[in-house]
Amino acid sequence: MPVISAPHEFNVPDLFVDLNNVLGENLYLKCEGFNFAGSIKLKAAVEMIDRGERDGTLRPGMTLVESSSGNLGVALSLVARSKGYGFVCVTDSRCTLANRQRMENLGAQVRIITEPDPESGLLGARIRLVQELCASDAGYAWLNQYANLGNWMSHYRTTGPEIAAQFPDLDVLFIGAGTTGTLMGCARYFRENQPSVTVVAVDSVGSVTFGTPAAPRMIPGLGAGVRPQMLDESYVDAVVHVPETDTVRMCHHLVRHGYVLGGSTGTVLSGARQWIAENRPERDIVGVAVSPDLGDHYLDTVYQEKWLQDIYGLSPDELSGASRATA
């Protein structure tokens, strides 16, 4: 067993779930939620802060500032606390209560945006506040996860090789698109080292990342109101868009098999099933999907009956029926 001296040093790199009995697909789920930050974003947080320290952008006593829908904010709160930095997270009203409380308990200041920018939505409004804060105080430093090379490089160095080591015969890789850090890091790794692998990006309906129209999105994690700066579509072989109601149905199907996973995971797996049905109906593939976090971050949203009824009009009976149909 590992012995660590700081919370960001621990991460489980090689936990995969065989979903054949759950989804009827030859599909494996790489679970990234088993660390002290609770999500895959710990990798990016560590890499971006380390890069800032190496290049002199970050100095002792500074305060980090970042825009986040939740998980990266938690990860940065943890690493900042461990390393002695202050941290301000600029988020919006979609950030779950659980993630806001985690950040505050770790000493972060949380600023919540409630009014979207007329053109760039809530994300644009968040970024504008981050820029204003950094312009007002030389002691503030914006890591800028949307353009920071450390975001995708963390997955080029870790997530991609971890998948390749476990599945040397991998056919297709399914990755959710948020900032596209995980997507770009893994896609670059496989293009250079295992180019036969098909990389499928899974996005939320309403996200503008791949040029589709903007629409309201209520589940944080995947999707964007502004095209991510680091996205290079030449590394992506296919894109699948998933409605949030399908995300919820997939999450509730998984939980009936004992897997309480996050909203992003529900989106990725719903997209993976759709792509397989349309492109490989014979199901003679080896597929891996990346699960960014666990369901404890979503207990007051995706797994909360009143929230689901108010937002989507979904009842427990409907979700139970969807679960049986999915099986």
Side-chain angles (χ1 to χ4, degrees), residues 186-204:
C186 291
R188 288 175 185 270
Y189 176 84
F190 279 99
R191 178 67 59 84
E192 295 177 15
N193 295 277
Q194 205 169 327
S196 62
V197 172
T198 297
V199 175
V200 179
V202 182
D203 200 6
S204 300

Side-chain angles (χ1 to χ4, degrees), residues 47-78:
E47 183 77 21
M48 290 191 295
I49 290 176
D50 284 351
R51 287 176 66 89
E53 291 174 337
R54 290 195 301 269
D55 65 23
T57 304
L58 301 182
R59 299 179 300 280
M62 295 188 77
T63 295
L64 312 179
V65 186
E66 187 55 88
S67 158
S68 169
S69 62
N71 280 343
L72 181 67
V74 174
L76 287 172
S77 299
L78 182 149

Side-chain angles (χ1 to χ4, degrees), residues 124-256:
R126 280 166 29 194
I127 291 174
R128 185 173 66 247
L129 179 55
V130 168
Q131 292 170 330
E132 290 170 357
L133 289 171
C134 291
S136 69
D137 191 329
Y140 283 178
W142 181 23
L143 293 171
N144 192 3
Q145 63 162 323
Y146 309 102
N148 194 312
L149 295 180
N151 190 340
W152 68 261
M153 183 60 73
S154 64
H155 302 288
Y156 180 90
R157 293 195 307 103
T158 62
T159 312
E162 289 161 5
I163 295 169
Q166 187 73 27
F167 296 95
D169 55 347
L170 180 66
D171 294 305
V172 58
L173 177 62
F174 300 95
I175 303 177
T179 63
T180 69
T182 308
L183 175 64
M184 286 292 96
C186 291
R188 288 175 185 270
Y189 176 84
F190 279 99
R191 178 67 59 84
E192 295 177 15
N193 295 277
Q194 205 169 327
S196 62
V197 172
T198 297
V199 175
V200 179
V202 182
D203 200 6
S204 300
V205 169
S207 168
V208 306
T209 297
F210 296 96
T212 50
R217 293 173 292 108
M218 299 304 298
I219 300 174
L222 298 186
V226 178
R227 179 183 168 89
Q229 292 174 251
M230 70 182 67
L231 174 63
D232 184 341
E233 291 189 60
S234 69
Y235 287 93
V236 178
D237 298 301
V239 180
V240 179
H241 286 88
V242 175
E244 288 190 336
T245 50
D246 288 352
T247 293
V248 170
R249 289 187 174 95
M250 178 59 74
C251 287
H252 282 256
H253 175 70
L254 293 166
V255 83
R256 284 172 173 80

Side-chain angles (χ1 to χ4, degrees), residues 256 314-322 324:
R256 284 172 173 80
L314 292 172
S315 70
D317 288 343
E318 287 178 285
L319 291 171
S320 177
R324 288 192 295 270

